[in-house]
Amino acid sequence: MKRPPSNSILRPAVSLLILMTGILGVAYPLAVTGVARVLFPGQAAGSLIVRDGKPVGSRLIGQPFSDARYFWSRPSATRPQPYNGLASGGSNLGPLNPALTAAVEARIAALKAADPTNHAPIPVDLVTASGSGLDPDISLAAAYYQVGRIARTRHLTPGRVRALIAAHARTPWLGVLGEPRVNVLELNLALDKLR
Amino acid sequence: MTAQSVGLLALFLAVVVLCTKPLGLYMANVMEGRPIWPLRVGARFEALIYRLCGIDPAQEMGWKHYAIALLVFNTLGGLLVYGLQRLQFWLPLDPEHFTGVSPDSSFNTAVSFVTNTNWQGYTPETTMSYLTQMAGLAVQNFLSAASGIVVAVALIRGLARHSAKSIGNFWADITRSTLYVLLPIAFVLALVLVSQGVIQSFSAYKSVTMLQPVTYQQQKTDAAGNPVKDAAGNPVMESVTTRTQTLPMGPIASQEAIKELGTNGGGFLNANSAHPYENPTWLSNFLEMLAMIVIPASLTYTFGRTVGDTRQGWAVFGAMAILFVGLFALCNHSEQLGNPRIAALGVDQAASALQPGGNMEGKEARFGIASSALFNTLATVTSTGAVNAMNDSFMPLGGFVPLFNMMLGEVVFGGVGSGLYSILIFAMIGVFIAGLMIGRTPEYLGKKIEAFEMKMSSVAILVMPFIVLLGTAIAVSMAAGRAGAANPGAHGFSEILYGFTSASNNNGSAFAGLSADTVFYNTALGLCMWLGRYWPIIAVLAVAGSLAAKKRIPVTAGTMPTHGPTFIILLIGTILLVGALTFVPALALGPIVEHLILWGR
């Protein structure tokens, strides 16, 4: 077979790469941004929650809670602080790693110390770190587990706290798509509004 | 298996099957340049590109010309990504003022993105400028995917043509697969993802005031930013309280769409598809999963259609689907079972109407067990390597599945294009073995499979195990390699084995505890990615060229049919035999021994 002349490869390669960078690397993201800004401005900008004119968080990004008056989020393995928006990630601890068992034990102890009379088994998502370290949700089981503590510290009836969870609960669509969960930041903001 | 996971799998597969024929047919038309309406609409734009680049789309290429064009185009792409990373500080769209990336990390990332691997040794939200991400990384997300598609198309042509000297025009193929297949689907998907909450913004990072302050320990630094150490040389810690949370921004949705569609998998953010800004809802998750598999699945139809017998394509699809269901079931079952050591602490891991239960370490509440197992299985049977849960924290057999998926050579749907061309190579090896057993000349789709094809097929298949096992052996024998493992014992070995398997298969997922942003790992894994991608591609193109030149021989009573259940079983057997026999010893040292320690008495 005749060898192809070298400029029959280099010229198309260089010019096609430049053109494609323009189309795929500049025009395409700008076009998506332009349309997204018109159709879904709130989502494109990060689904921020604004209270009294100030952003207090994003509906999609969790926050750490340790006050007994608030629903606690899932443990977060981000460093140096939990729920660090600039260092998303999980613990990456293997299932046999003693550090994992030790971390779970410490979380169980903290939950029990905040609510000594609660002897219900602890839902697993409340003592295991999420994959992103920014999980905005807890399972409904994890929310209901915390009802007694919240009701006591806020002088509310447990029924009222349960009703608040139920009002914010999301359940699987058709029983298959999605998981039973509740957004912790939204739940706590609603809790602060209760009188 | 919970009812939910069975339902999710059934629904997902049904949607995939529904998409396979229309998209496969569309791609067959696009790649043969038939005058369907998108091609008529785009014809003038396409012609303009060819004119500007000095391309004659009608000029057919032999396999060597085709391979050289691909290698040159990908190498130049790699150089561009390298340059953008090193120079990003001086370039626009760097609102967080990130400095240039280190030479070894830039090399690793450049190779990683041109080879469709998307292995990430760096932390994106504190490393890469918006420009580097969109004009460097995302462009290669498109072009590396298109490179895979064109090699598959060239091999299909090799099977479909006869007595031909050429296998197509590389420049036209890559332009068409990008403009007519990848770009329009990615555009629509990106917008749907934004509707779900994936961000698309060029603003600087945003600060919010949290509801409750957080107090934590961090290393004390002096005025120059160096860590302060006490007399014993230990770092001094200080207590910090803050109410500020900084949220990363960026043009994420546009990149997320092609990240999944092109089976790339490189996250805009460190937590990848576990991050709520990349994957906020069950719908975004479902669509991202669909995007990973839809092109590899549809290419089986493109194949059947182009060789003139769609049953051939469905047979390949069937073999892939059977393997896929088995692999998902094992992963899902292991994760749903949960961790006995955590159960022993009195933690409730049972699935109920109120919680997914199971092993939730490293998983997101909105995905639970079924969606996490399905996503990560899909990301490793295809060459995506995205994660929506951390593989490193999977149960031993749950983490075995993604590892084994890659070890099979990513032929279960596989990467865009690469999955199809790899499984067709396995098909040829399968008919060759069957031919030996019954003492007849092996043939596939009317083409005799002879010594040259078998040599090239062996080269294509054996390079991956060779570099995986050699790389792992070198890494565990060197201090620089062992230093990367984060977990003690067998799990640390699994992390290293996983890293080399992922790089050599151009997958890009990780047991992410591995500290891979070191000179050793950046270099070693960079070489694995390069060899693991282009060595098989050259061999596959050689097979394509050789098959195209052959005469078609008529079907006789002695021809083994390659569209029935016998062939499907033969194909599955070949894949499992090659994959399992090569890797069982290494797997026994990693996930298998870990499983026995955890559940044994």
Side-chain angles (χ1 to χ4, degrees), chain B residues 74-98:
Chain B
N74 279 207
T75 307
L76 287 173
L79 290 174
L80 179 66
V81 175
Y82 183 85
L84 279 171
Q85 292 178 82
R86 302 281 291 144
L87 302 174
Q88 63 179 5
F89 187 72
W90 287 280
L91 298 170
L93 287 176
D94 184 19
E96 301 302 315
H97 307 292
F98 296 138

Side-chain angles (χ1 to χ4, degrees), chain B residues 115 463 467 504 506 526-537:
Chain B
T115 57
V463 57
I467 54 182
S504 307
N506 304 120
L527 290 173
C528 285
M529 290 189 271
W530 189 266
L531 290 173
R533 176 75 167 175
Y534 296 111
W535 194 331
I537 279 185

Side-chain angles (χ1 to χ4, degrees), chain B residues 29 68 200 221 316 368 454 537 567:
Chain B
N29 286 329
I68 294 168
Q200 180 75 15
T221 52
V316 171
M454 283 321 296
I537 279 185
F567 175 73

Side-chain angles (χ1 to χ4, degrees), chain B residues 423-434:
Chain B
I423 201 166
L424 291 181
I425 293 292
F426 269 106
M428 285 178 227
I429 290 180
V431 294
F432 179 76
I433 293 172

Side-chain angles (χ1 to χ4, degrees), chain A residues 11 28 33 43-46 60 62-63 66 74 83 88 91-95 97 122 129 131-132 135 141 176 178-179, chain B residues 4 52 125 194-195 200 206 209 211-212 245 254 270-271 276-277 339 348 354 360-365 390 393 487:
Chain A
R11 172 163 175 225
Y28 160 68
T33 310
Q43 290 97 317
L60 296 177
Q63 293 183 9
S66 52
R74 295 192 58 196
Y83 288 87
S88 59
S91 71
N92 287 314
L93 296 174
N97 195 326
I122 302 176
S132 63
D135 198 336
V176 170
E179 298 292 333
Chain B
Q4 188 204 8
L52 288 172
E125 48 265 62
V194 177
S195 79
Q200 180 75 15
K206 286 184 183 155
T209 310
L211 216 50
Q212 193 205 310
Q245 187 183 44
S254 53
N270 193 45
Y277 274 167
N339 188 334
D348 179 11
L354 296 180
M360 284 299 286
E361 180 71 23
K363 293 191 181 65
E364 298 284 294
M390 296 302 141
S393 296
N487 281 282

Side-chain angles (χ1 to χ4, degrees), chain A residues 14-26:
Chain A
V14 172
S15 32
L16 191 60
L17 182 63
I18 294 169
L19 266 180
M20 285 295 181
T21 303
I23 298 168
L24 308 169
V26 180

Side-chain angles (χ1 to χ4, degrees), chain B residues 125-397:
Chain B
E125 48 265 62
T126 51
T127 311
M128 297 293 180
S129 76
Y130 295 167
L131 185 76
T132 307
Q133 298 251 29
M134 62 190 247
L137 306 183
V139 170
Q140 287 306 320
N141 280 354
F142 278 100
L143 296 181
S144 66
S147 298
I149 294 179
V150 302
V151 174
V153 167
L155 181 60
I156 294 173
R157 288 191 190 125
L159 287 161
R161 292 177 180 183
H162 53 92
S163 315
K165 287 202 173 77
S166 60
I167 52 173
N169 181 298
F170 173 76
W171 310 114
D173 288 348
I174 205 130
T175 306
R176 285 187 186 138
S177 52
T178 306
L179 287 188
Y180 299 116
V181 180
L182 297 171
L183 187 57
I185 305 180
F187 186 79
V188 174
L189 179 60
L191 288 174
V192 181
L193 289 178
V194 177
S195 79
Q196 295 300 299
V198 180
I199 56 180
Q200 180 75 15
S201 156
F202 284 96
S203 83
Y205 291 3
K206 286 184 183 155
S207 288
V208 298
T209 310
M210 296 191 294
L211 216 50
Q212 193 205 310
V214 58
T215 302
Y216 61 97
Q217 300 287 311
Q218 74 171 23
Q219 261 193 18
K220 202 170 173 176
T221 52
D222 60 21
N226 297 315
V228 177
K229 291 189 174 169
D230 64 12
N234 296 318
V236 177
M237 304 301 280
E238 60 180 350
S239 193
V240 184
T241 300
T242 182
R243 266 190 95 152
T244 303
Q245 187 183 44
T246 306
L247 304 176
M249 289 285 132
I252 296 185
S254 53
Q255 193 156 331
E256 187 72 21
I258 188 60
K259 164 191 146 188
E260 315 293 358
L261 187 67
T263 62
N264 296 284
F268 199 99
L269 304 165
N270 193 45
N272 208 296
S273 288
H275 199 297
Y277 274 167
E278 286 201 15
N279 191 2
T281 64
W282 69 259
L283 182 59
S284 68
N285 194 61
F286 194 89
L287 292 174
E288 288 180 19
M289 293 194 295
L290 185 63
M292 285 191 235
I293 197 176
V294 73
I295 292 181
S298 303
L299 275 172
T300 62
Y301 191 86
T302 307
F303 157 67
R305 177 85 185 183
T306 309
V307 300
D309 181 0
T310 50
R311 292 173 307 173
Q312 302 286 345
W314 286 115
V316 171
F317 182 97
M320 291 172 163
I322 290 168
L323 282 166
F324 173 70
V325 169
L327 291 161
F328 164 71
L330 176 59
C331 182
N332 187 66
H333 174 74
S334 310
E335 294 308 302
Q336 191 66 64
L337 219 49
N339 188 334
R341 298 204 174 168
I342 290 181
L345 302 174
V347 173
D348 179 11
Q349 298 187 101
S352 72
L354 296 180
Q355 68 162 11
N359 170 30
M360 284 299 286
E361 180 71 23
K363 293 191 181 65
E364 298 284 294
R366 64 191 177 284
F367 302 139
I369 300 299
S371 291
S372 300
L374 188 57
F375 190 103
N376 283 15
T377 303
L378 274 164
T380 45
V381 292
T382 68
S383 87
T384 315
V387 291
N388 77 351
M390 296 302 141
N391 282 322
D392 213 348
S393 296
F394 271 27
M395 299 308 295
L397 290 188

Side-chain angles (χ1 to χ4, degrees), chain A residues 3-148:
Chain A
R3 271 184 85 83
S6 64
N7 67 352
S8 80
I9 288 182
L10 219 50
R11 172 163 175 225
V14 172
S15 32
L16 191 60
L17 182 63
I18 294 169
L19 266 180
M20 285 295 181
T21 303
I23 298 168
L24 308 169
V26 180
Y28 160 68
L30 288 181
V32 173
T33 310
V35 179
R37 205 172 272 177
V38 174
L39 294 181
F40 314 107
Q43 290 97 317
S47 307
L48 299 183
I49 302 176
V50 177
R51 212 173 51 169
D52 308 328
K54 277 196 298 190
V56 294
S58 163
R59 207 163 44 75
L60 296 177
I61 307 290
Q63 293 183 9
F65 293 97
S66 52
D67 193 320
R69 293 163 44 82
Y70 283 122
F71 283 97
W72 291 2
S73 304
R74 295 192 58 196
S76 160
T78 63
R79 282 163 201 271
Q81 77 272 33
Y83 288 87
N84 179 358
L86 295 182
S88 59
S91 71
N92 287 314
L93 296 174
L96 275 85
N97 195 326
L100 174 64
T101 331
V104 172
E105 276 175 327
R107 291 163 190 155
I108 293 173
L111 283 165
K112 297 218 155 147
D115 191 8
T117 55
N118 188 350
H119 298 296
I122 302 176
V124 61
D125 62 307
L126 208 49
V127 291
T128 46
S130 63
S132 63
L134 303 171
D135 198 336
D137 304 310
I138 50 177
S139 70
L140 289 181
Y144 286 121
Y145 175 83
Q146 302 182 58
V147 164

